[in-house]
């Protein structure tokens, strides 16, 4: 088992490493080993933040990290939600590509490169079964470690680029001799699609009975994950932005971000889910959070991730859940008013006697639109 197995757990070598540990996953779960906790974190991070790396990476041994992958796959299967599987696979792929970029950068700097932890592009391409379908451009002088241009077989290109948007349509690409020209960043995007597909293969697992065996042992972890994702308050559609009426939990998160502090995954998820829940779109949220630690790309990515099954949005967690995460302090006894930040905000809107202007209207006036 090498650190690379733990960093790229979807590779064949990592699967073999799991087998070689001789660890029985049922026993691992029954004895509540650290890998189980890390597996839960893996899924939680995937669903809330769109990535799977740990917020406390120093806490985990290589073995915990490696074994957390099969545990996470069982957990996400038990969530019984196609959107959760899709988000999980996309988050694994996103994290893997970020790691690959780091590794390629390290390859150019011998001081940082760690052979048994790092991966190279060729190995990944071969692992994904894309050997021979992707080649660096030979005609352009380019550094071997970081070629800028690649040619990819048109069939493979069409397969991987499906759903990526108009820019990826063949009519908008340079095509020659049955191959499509892509730059380095575009290749990363296509590899991400291939990894996402690899991770999603075989998910959700069939035949897991929630009341038996390993699934039953994971009940506490599942309850935690479901609580985070399925607490839909009974509120009608809200479409009004008045920061002065936001509940303290949300105002505190906004202020924290505006002080330049990085929000934790559950904090960022809560804030974005609240802002989308009151009717804001991605552009409005980016403008609203302009002076904060939240970067526009991260905001857009997270909002995309808030899409749950059947096109609905994930709401923020309930007051009770936010209190367990230390985000709610039940200021002014809010729980007596409503059990959910969106319900609380709706109540505030309905009972206020202030003459309020929607922030979006004011922003349009200020910008002269
Ligand atoms: S009680 Fe609910 S709405 Fe009020 S601060 Fe806590 S989480 Fe927010």
């Amino acid at each position: 088992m090498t650190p690379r197995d733990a960093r790229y757990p979807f590779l064949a070598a990592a699967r073999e490493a799991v087998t070689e540990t001789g660890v029985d996953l049922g026993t691992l779960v029954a004895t509540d080993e650290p890998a189980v906790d890390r597996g839960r974190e893996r899924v939680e991070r995937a669903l809330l933040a769109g990535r799977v790396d740990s917020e406390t990476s120093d806490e985990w041994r290589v073995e915990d990290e490696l074994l957390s992958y099969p545990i996470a796959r069982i957990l996400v299967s038990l969530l019984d939600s196609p959107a959760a599987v899709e988000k999980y696979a996309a988050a694994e792929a996103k994290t893997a590509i970020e790691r690959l970029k780091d590794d390629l950068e390290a390859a150019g700097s011998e001081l940082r490169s760690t052979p048994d932890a790092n991966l190279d592009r060729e190995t990944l391409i071969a692992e994904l079964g894309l050997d021979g379908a992707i080649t660096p451009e030979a005609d352009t002088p380019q550094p071997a470690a970081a070629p800028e241009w690649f040619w990819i077989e048109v069939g493979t290109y069409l397969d991987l680029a499906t759903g990526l948007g108009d820019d990826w349509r063949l009519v908008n690409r340079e095509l020659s001799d049955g191959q499509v020209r892509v730059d380095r960043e575009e290749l990363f995007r296509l590899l991400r699609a291939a990894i996402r597909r690899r991770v999603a293969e075989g998910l959700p697992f069939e035949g897991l009975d929630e009341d038996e065996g390993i699934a039953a042992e994971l009940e506490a972890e599942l309850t935690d994950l479901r609580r985070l994702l399925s607490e839909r308050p009974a509120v009608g559609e809200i479409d009004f932005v008045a920061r002065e009426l936001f509940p303290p939990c949300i105002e505190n998160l906004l202020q924290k971000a505006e002080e330049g502090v990085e929000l934790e995954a559950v904090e960022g998820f809560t804030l974005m889910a609240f802002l989308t829940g009151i009717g804001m779109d991605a552009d409005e949220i980016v403008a609203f959070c302009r002076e904060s630690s939240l970067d526009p790309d991260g905001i857009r990515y997270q909002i995309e991730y808030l899409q749950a099954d059947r096109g609905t949005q994930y709401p923020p967690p309930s007051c009770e859940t936010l209190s367990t995460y230390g985000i709610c302090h039940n200021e002014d006894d809010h729980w007596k008013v409503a059990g959910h930040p969106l319900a609380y905000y709706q109540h505030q809107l309905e009972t206020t006697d202030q003459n309020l202007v929607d922030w979006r209207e004011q922003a349009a006036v200020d910008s002269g639109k």
Side-chain angles (χ1 to χ4, degrees):
M1 177 192 329
T2 65
R4 177 170 46 228
D5 298 328
R7 294 177 75 233
Y8 299 96
F10 54 89
L11 297 180
R15 282 202 299 275
E16 279 164 29
V18 170
T19 308
E20 280 164 14
T21 61
V23 170
D24 172 66
L25 290 182
T27 309
L28 192 82
V29 170
T31 52
D32 217 5
E33 293 293 313
V36 179
D37 208 19
R38 172 66 187 118
R40 184 204 49 76
E41 188 203 24
R42 202 170 185 109
V43 179
E44 182 181 304
R45 292 267 288 156
L47 299 178
L48 301 191
R51 48 188 313 122
V52 296
D53 51 339
S54 176
E55 288 187 301
T56 53
S57 52
D58 293 346
E59 268 184 28
W60 312 106
R61 298 169 304 162
V62 170
E63 183 173 319
D64 301 331
E65 189 68 22
L66 175 69
L67 295 172
S68 73
Y69 180 71
I71 297 291
R73 291 171 66 81
I74 295 171
L75 279 170
V76 84
S77 295
L78 288 167
L79 281 176
D80 194 23
S81 153
V85 169
E86 186 51 36
K87 283 176 210 297
Y88 169 70
E92 287 281 358
K94 182 174 195 276
T95 304
I97 286 296
E98 284 175 7
R99 288 177 175 161
L100 178 68
K101 287 181 179 178
D102 285 348
D103 290 355
L104 294 178
E105 199 182 309
S109 146
E110 285 177 23
L111 282 177
R112 289 180 49 212
S113 187
T114 318
D116 69 347
N118 295 10
L119 186 67
D120 59 73
R121 187 186 296 106
E122 290 68 31
T123 306
L124 177 64
I125 286 173
E127 272 273 355
L128 294 170
L130 302 172
D131 226 0
I134 300 171
T135 44
E137 184 165 276
D139 301 342
T140 316
Q142 45 186 348
E148 201 53 54
W149 293 98
F150 297 82
W151 288 96
I152 172 164
E153 275 179 2
V154 66
T156 304
Y157 174 87
L158 288 172
D159 189 31
L160 296 178
T162 302
L164 294 185
D166 279 354
D167 286 352
W168 295 84
R169 290 178 59 203
L170 215 46
V171 288
N172 297 321
R173 315 300 304 193
E174 189 179 339
L175 183 66
S176 169
D177 205 15
Q179 299 199 314
V180 184
R181 193 175 190 236
V182 296
D183 68 23
R184 187 171 12 164
E185 274 307 313
E186 289 169 335
L187 179 64
F188 282 134
R189 186 69 192 82
L190 294 171
L191 290 176
R192 200 168 109 194
I195 296 171
R196 192 193 65 215
R197 194 174 296 178
R198 165 64 60 87
V199 172
E201 264 170 26
L203 290 180
F205 294 140
E206 300 282 337
L208 283 173
D209 185 337
E210 262 196 55
D211 301 325
E212 286 178 12
I214 197 165
E217 296 281 0
L218 286 168
E219 190 189 342
E221 287 76 13
L222 269 176
T223 304
D224 278 357
L225 290 168
R226 287 197 176 123
R227 205 175 48 178
L228 268 175
L229 296 175
S230 61
E231 296 169 311
R232 294 186 191 283
V235 293
E237 190 184 339
I238 303 175
D239 193 18
F240 197 90
V241 182
R243 179 165 175 174
E244 46 278 65
L245 299 185
F246 282 6
C249 50
I250 301 299
E251 181 57 32
N252 290 344
L253 293 177
L254 269 172
Q255 286 182 17
K256 193 171 169 184
E258 285 168 352
E259 283 161 13
V261 179
E262 289 279 323
L263 298 186
E264 289 176 13
V266 69
E267 294 176 327
F269 170 80
T270 300
L271 181 55
M272 290 303 123
F274 179 84
L275 295 177
T276 52
I278 64 170
M280 298 177 86
D281 65 24
D283 289 339
E284 290 163 353
I285 295 175
V286 166
F288 191 74
C289 299
R290 198 174 46 237
E291 318 236 325
S292 76
S293 59
L294 299 157
D295 76 282
D297 285 348
I299 289 174
R300 289 181 198 286
Y301 190 76
Q302 182 128 36
I303 289 169
E304 201 182 303
Y305 263 75
L306 290 172
Q307 288 285 328
D309 291 323
R310 294 176 293 281
T312 55
Q313 297 272 324
Y314 281 127
S318 71
C319 300
E320 192 184 348
T321 302
L322 290 177
S323 119
T324 64
Y325 277 88
I327 293 173
C328 170
H329 309 291
N330 194 19
E331 285 97 335
D332 306 330
D333 239 359
H334 282 186
W335 287 9
K336 286 189 182 148
V337 178
H340 194 281
L342 284 175
Y344 178 82
Y345 179 64
Q346 188 183 47
H347 173 268
Q348 293 294 86
L349 284 173
E350 286 168 357
T351 55
T352 184
D353 52 12
Q354 296 179 56
N355 243 338
L356 296 168
V357 177
D358 189 318
W359 172 86
R360 294 169 294 189
E361 274 177 43
Q362 192 58 51
V365 170
D366 293 346
S367 66
K369 283 187 189 162

